[in-house]
Amino acid sequence: MICDIHVHIGRNVPPFVGGSDAVADMVARARLHGIERQCISSLGNTGYLVNPTLDEVREANDHVLEAVAAYPDTLLGFCYLNPRHGEAALAELDRCLRHRGMVGIKLWIACKATDPLVDPILERAAALGVPVLQHAWLKTVGQMEFESTPADVAAMGRRHPRATIIMAHLMGAGYRGILDIAPVPNVLIDTSGGDPEAGVVEFAVRHLGAERVLFGSDAPGRSYGVQLGKVLAAQLTAAERDLILFGNAERILRR
Ligand SMILES: [Zn+2]
């Protein structure tokens, strides 16, 4: 059993111009790689929306709800939220979580992880035991306007020690990003972002513990096979590998 913690869908967003058939195709392709569970979110139906309106967030989440209902044994949903919507973002979270199979929250780059705007969402996530998948990347070419670095996510984790935060993109964090989150035990990391690079997964396991590393592909932006290769080729014990591929997801998605 393998669980992919970081997958996107999107109506009319490449390569999803085929509508729901593309979701069926993703489920089938993942299964060919032994990936039986996928945690999906949508960043919008008309493109990857950095600062979506409330209607755009609802439409994106409706698509996820539809996909999760169609593949209840395979797909789990993460609800996309824009922290700039304040109370309405919490209401959208409640709406999504009323549905079976909705298990997490996705935050992207509407605002930085250091912005107090995210605090009500993190407080609710902690109270409900729902993990937050927070985008992060550390770039030498400069960040996008409200794009969080691993240090920003570490700060978020320190403000909300009871929340479980999965920081996206191990390869975007790199060695420095891993060390940034290392002292904050409630911040985990997914293995997505970039191509495989020898030693990085091992470095994460050494500094965070295998309990804080989860397999994520960021498909369809990346391919399942190449992303799985990062974990399968890493020098790990069987127990560490199993935690990364499934055990950690099972623990934190218990809801
Ligand atoms: Zn992603």
Side-chain angles (χ1 to χ4, degrees):
M1 172 72 79
I2 298 172
C3 178
D4 187 337
I5 200 76
H6 186 162
V7 177
H8 296 292
I9 64 169
R11 244 193 276 274
N12 303 316
V13 176
F16 294 108
V17 286
S20 61
D21 286 349
V23 174
D25 180 64
M26 273 179 68
V27 169
R29 273 188 298 119
R31 283 191 182 140
L32 287 175
H33 292 83
I35 301 169
E36 297 287 341
R37 297 268 190 285
Q38 299 190 80
C39 295
I40 57 169
S41 59
S42 169
L43 301 176
N45 285 335
T46 55
Y48 297 116
L49 304 175
V50 169
N51 186 17
T53 66
L54 193 52
D55 280 345
E56 287 169 334
V57 166
R58 287 192 187 121
E59 283 171 22
N61 291 331
D62 280 347
H63 188 205
V64 170
L65 291 171
E66 191 182 294
V68 168
Y71 297 93
D73 297 331
T74 304
L75 300 182
L76 295 164
F78 275 50
C79 163
Y80 184 33
L81 297 178
N82 181 346
R84 296 186 186 282
H85 296 153
E87 277 294 321
L90 295 178
E92 174 62 4
L93 175 61
D94 290 342
R95 181 183 81 93
C96 289
L97 292 181
R98 277 198 289 274
H99 295 263
R100 226 181 124 73
M102 294 300 282
V103 297
I105 297 165
K106 167 73 179 178
L107 297 178
W108 191 31
I109 52 173
C111 64
K112 281 168 76 88
T114 48
D115 195 315
L117 282 168
V118 305
D119 289 341
I121 293 173
L122 269 289
E123 281 163 19
R124 184 70 62 88
L128 296 173
V130 167
V132 176
L133 179 61
Q134 167 67 59
H135 170 98
W137 208 285
L138 184 58
K139 295 173 174 168
T140 55
V141 293
Q143 306 296 113
M144 288 185 277
E145 188 176 9
F146 298 110
E147 184 174 34
S148 300
T149 63
D152 295 330
V153 180
M156 176 199 257
R158 285 193 178 94
R159 289 203 313 284
H160 299 281
R162 288 175 51 250
T164 299
I165 300 164
I166 306 162
M167 185 174 82
H169 311 134
L170 175 67
M171 297 295 156
Y175 297 108
R176 178 172 157 188
I178 291 165
L179 295 177
D180 283 337
I181 63 165
V184 191
N186 56 314
V187 179
L188 292 67
I189 196 165
D190 82 31
T191 57
S192 73
D195 288 329
E197 192 180 311
V200 183
V201 170
E202 292 90 330
F203 186 88
V205 168
R206 194 154 67 244
H207 289 273
L208 307 178
E211 305 74 22
R212 288 171 63 190
V213 183
L214 295 96
F215 168 65
S217 69
D218 213 353
R222 309 280 179 176
S223 67
Y224 297 112
V226 170
Q227 296 303 312
L228 262 180
K230 285 178 190 170
V231 181
L232 298 180
Q235 304 290 306
L236 302 168
T237 67
E240 288 169 339
R241 198 184 53 230
D242 288 351
L243 282 172
I244 295 170
L245 293 177
F246 186 71
N248 293 330
E250 189 176 44
R251 185 181 72 248
I252 67 173
L253 300 176
R254 219 176 299 146
R255 177 186 180 276

